[in-house]
Every structure is written in C-alpha cells, then in structure tokens.
Amino acid sequence: MKHREGRAFISTIFLEKFWRENPVLIKGLALTPVIAAASTLKAGVVLAVVLAVITIPTSILMNLVGKKSTEWLRPVMAAVLSGLLLIPCMLVLKQIAPNIILQLGVFLPILIINSLTVYEAAEYAPDRSLVQTSISSVAGTLGIAAVIVIIAAAREMLGNAEIGGVYLPWSNKAPILSTPFGGLIFLAFLSAGLRGIFLFIKGRKVHKAVNSIPDTDQKACKEKSDQINKNKVNMITETTKDISGEKDSNDTGNHISDIEPVWDDKNPDCENSSHAESQVDEEEAQS
Amino acid sequence: MNFISDNLLLALGWILTQNIVLNKGIGMEFVISASRRKIDLPLVAGLISVLSLLSALLCYPLSLLLNAGEMSIVITPVCYIIILMGIYTVSHIGLSRFAPEFREYLGSRLPFAVFNSVVFAVPLMNNEISRDLLSSAFFAVCTGVGFLLAASLISLSTEWESKADVPDAFKGMPARLVYIAMIVLAFMGISGGIT
C-alpha cells in the first residue's frame, strides 16, 4: 500500500512539473536558451544536456545545504554551485565539440544563472524533501529539454532547410525563424497548444459532469437563470433611463450581450452546474 | 564634438539596434517578470544599470589576466560569477547596515537584479569582443537603458491584451510572447536584420 502511495506521489510531482506546470510553456522560466540559443538541433541538444547537468545536482545539493543557510545567501550558493558544475561540461565540450562552444558564445555560460536553476535551487529545493526536490528538478529539466529540442529542430528545419547537418528535400528557407523572433513565435504556439489541450480536457470533463445532472434539474436551473437575466436587463435599462433622463428613448445603450451570462458558478441558483465544475477541479487537483 | 556625436551614435546603436533583450533575446524572462509591475520598472532598470556597470568594471582587469590562458573559456564564467557573488554580498551587507529600510524595500528585487542573464552577459560580451574599459562601462550603462526600453514596451502588452479578442488558448503568456515577437521584429527592422 505504502509502495503504491509512494509511486503515485512520485508520478504526481513528475507530471506536475513536466506537463501541467511546464517551466517554459506555462511558467515562462529559462526563456533565454529557448528563444535565443536553440536555433539548431545540435545546439538544442547541447543546451538541454548542460542544463540538466547544472540544474539537477545544484537542486539536490541546495536541498542538503540550503536548509542550514540564511535565505539571502541561497541565490549566491546556487549560482556558485552551478558555475562550478559548468567547468566539467565545458571541458568535455572542448574535447568533443569545440565548434559548438563558439557557436553558442555567451549563451552557454548564461545557463549558470538561468531562472530555472535559480528558482529550483534557491527557492524550491531548500523547503522540500530530498525525494521531492530530485523528482521536481529532473521533471522540470526534462520539461525544458523537450521544449528546447523540439523548438531547435523545428527552427533548423524551417529556417535552414536541414536537420542535424542533413539537407532536407525542400529548398525554401525562412532564416528569420533562426532569430529570437522565430523562437518567440514557436514558443507562443507551443504554449498555446499545451493550454489548448488543457482547456479541451477540462471542457470535456465539465461537459460530462453537467450531463450527469438529471434533465429536470437542468431545465429548472435554466428557467431560473433566464428569469434572472431578464430582471437584470430590465433593472439596468431602468437605471440608465433614470440617470440619463431619457425615459422615452428606446435605445438605452445596454444590450444583453454586454451582461455577464448567469450560467456560471457565481449564481447560487445553478448549484448543480457549479458543483459539477468544482467537482472536476477537485478531481483534477487530486489526480 | 566628434567624440560626443560618435558616442551618442554608439549608445543609440546599443539601445536600439543591438538591444541586449530585444535583438539578442538575453534576459527575456527577467524583462517579462519586471514589466508586470510598471511602478518598479525605473528602480529595477536603475539597479541593473548600476550592477552591470560594477560587473563590467570589476571583470575587466580579470579578463585581461585570464585571456592569456588556454583555459580562459572554461574559467572565465566562474570567475565572473564569483565577482557577482561579491557584489551581491557587499551590497546586501552594506544596505542592511547603512540603509536597512531601503534593503527591506528592495526585498527579493536585489538577488533578482544581480543574478540575471543581463547583468551576467555584459562582462561576457565585453570579453568576447575585447572592449576597452571605457567602452565596457559605456556598454553596461546602455544595457540598463536598453533594458528599461524593452521592459516599458513589453509592459504595454497588458493594455493590448485586455482590449484584443484573444482566443482562450492564447490568453496570458502565449499572447504576450506573440506581442513581444512583434516588438522584436520591429527592432530587427530598425537594425537591418531583415533583408
């Protein structure tokens, strides 16, 4: 039983950090490497690996050491730790792919103080358990790495008509996609796509929950809401006439479309529908 | 006269055509985060200018020493981080002792202003192009002004977002990113980046 609970706990944190609260697509952290540096697949893979090597150990070390330090010292410790971890990365890269160091320029050292590392290591890690910190940093880094690699590959394919040095069958190139403009546009659409999926899933759940309410209750609730809407319109029309002193004028400037719909959770008469939505939210939170 | 006009043109170039945020994409997350609180923008931009200037001045002698060695590319970033660490520690202790109210007011803005890609990128970029001390300092100040310009332009997106008919999936960050992309495109147009 305990084993199952532990697995559920781990998968919850992992999914939360990787998917529902993706550091780049939802939280907007570590945008610099994604929009500015990840313009080719090779660069994207190198950035993702270096980010993982820097962020995961820094978070774990900060979890162990950060608890004992004062709050103002934590960012300093995180930055120095990640700086020291960059040294072996640079040494290995210097041996394996010296060109990539030149290609990335200042963007490789900048990874030391990227907002994910600083946030994870200085703010999140010291206040959590070691397991929680480890899973969170691994999931967060994987979340960023996936985005970096996807965007880098897409930019290289469309911007340079090649992928990993292999030329693609089309000759149309859009070099502008290799600039920060392209990175921002790709990121915006990827982020909107993820949010769209969340909205679709939530919408389906709400639809299912509302459909599970008996028809008679739904009808009664709809009638009540229509009545309230009608009263609201009349009240606003009267008030406007009183204020403007144009009681005889037909157009008051107020239209039904200007008024908020009553079929929402603020209306106490529609307890069933609001209850269904809140139930879905609770279920989502639990899952 | 030539000296003034040359430097003025150089400053305009660094602010408009080589803006560290909008043309190079460095520190985008910090600009977005800073632009959410319009009232703090001058303070954050001022802090970034001062800290960039300090880091540029302090890193310059170190870069002269390190550039000679083969391992400079590996060691330089760590040395710069240690300098930033020193700047942060001294400013925290100094402000806590001599202006505790101001330090309290700054709160998390101080570590936010020191440990960000913009302040860290200034000495790295100076080192990359081997600028002299005066140019390094001038570039640092222009970076702060460029940061203020970028953040001010991005902060206008909240007004645009409230007026525009944005699809649900694009509401929030995606819409803001598209807005910033348009500003970046405009800046690329100014710099001649689009042909």
Side-chain angles (χ1 to χ4, degrees), chain B:
Chain B
M1 190 64 190
N2 264 347
F3 177 77
I4 295 170
S5 59
D6 285 354
N7 281 306
L8 208 63
L9 276 175
L10 198 64
L12 273 176
W14 280 333
I15 293 165
L16 293 174
T17 62
Q18 289 177 41
N19 190 297
I20 197 163
V21 181
L22 296 172
N23 289 81
K24 300 203 185 300
I26 294 172
M28 194 60 87
E29 64 267 36
F30 294 103
V31 176
I32 295 173
S33 157
S35 65
R36 285 192 189 123
R37 293 191 70 184
K38 279 184 194 174
I39 201 160
D40 281 350
L41 273 184
L43 178 71
V44 174
L47 275 174
I48 282 179
S49 295
V50 172
L51 293 165
S52 301
L53 182 65
L54 278 174
S55 66
L57 293 176
L58 292 171
C59 291
Y60 179 73
L62 199 72
S63 62
L64 291 179
L65 284 173
L66 291 171
N67 269 352
E70 254 184 45
M71 298 292 280
S72 67
I73 202 162
V74 179
I75 298 167
T76 307
V78 185
C79 294
Y80 288 179
I81 274 291
I82 291 168
I83 287 176
L84 280 187
M85 184 189 92
I87 292 173
Y88 175 65
T89 311
V90 168
S91 52
H92 170 78
I93 294 170
L95 284 173
S96 302
R97 181 163 293 179
F98 300 110
E101 282 174 6
F102 184 58
R103 175 66 193 95
E104 205 173 312
Y105 176 72
L106 285 177
S108 61
R109 293 183 196 97
L110 187 64
F112 167 85
V114 179
F115 295 103
N116 71 66
S117 348
V118 178
V119 173
F120 188 50
V122 168
L124 286 170
M125 288 169 83
N126 284 336
N127 187 35
E128 204 177 45
I129 313 171
S130 305
R131 288 196 180 106
D132 59 30
L133 185 65
L134 197 67
S135 304
S136 301
F138 196 46
F139 176 68
V141 175
C142 291
T143 300
V145 179
F147 180 90
L148 180 64
L149 176 72
S152 309
L153 286 171
I154 292 168
S155 70
L156 298 174
S157 70
T158 44
E159 206 176 303
W160 168 77
E161 271 177 53
S162 62
K163 283 177 191 169
D165 186 18
V166 183
D168 283 345
F170 271 87
K171 273 179 188 162
M173 202 182 81
R176 186 164 284 204
L177 289 175
V178 172
Y179 176 88
I180 298 166
M182 294 304 138
I183 299 172
V184 168
L185 194 65
F187 271 71
M188 280 172 68
I190 297 170
S191 66
I194 307 166
T195 50

Side-chain angles (χ1 to χ4, degrees), chain A residues 129-178:
Chain A
S129 69
L130 184 63
V131 178
Q132 215 172 339
T133 305
S134 311
I135 300 160
S136 161
S137 58
V138 169
T141 313
L142 281 177
I144 289 192
V147 175
I148 289 179
V149 172
I150 291 169
I151 289 183
R155 284 168 82 180
E156 193 179 7
M157 282 164 76
L158 298 172
N160 303 339
E162 61 177 75
I163 182 95
V166 178
Y167 288 101
L168 294 169
W170 61 82
S171 58
N172 290 336
K173 292 178 187 176
I176 198 164
L177 293 176
S178 305

Side-chain angles (χ1 to χ4, degrees), chain A residues 183-206:
Chain A
L184 283 163
I185 289 291
F186 275 118
L187 194 63
F189 277 84
L190 216 56
S191 174
L194 189 66
R195 280 156 203 260
I197 292 168
F198 290 155
L199 285 172
F200 178 72
I201 293 168
K202 195 177 178 183
R204 277 189 69 172
K205 280 183 181 172
V206 169

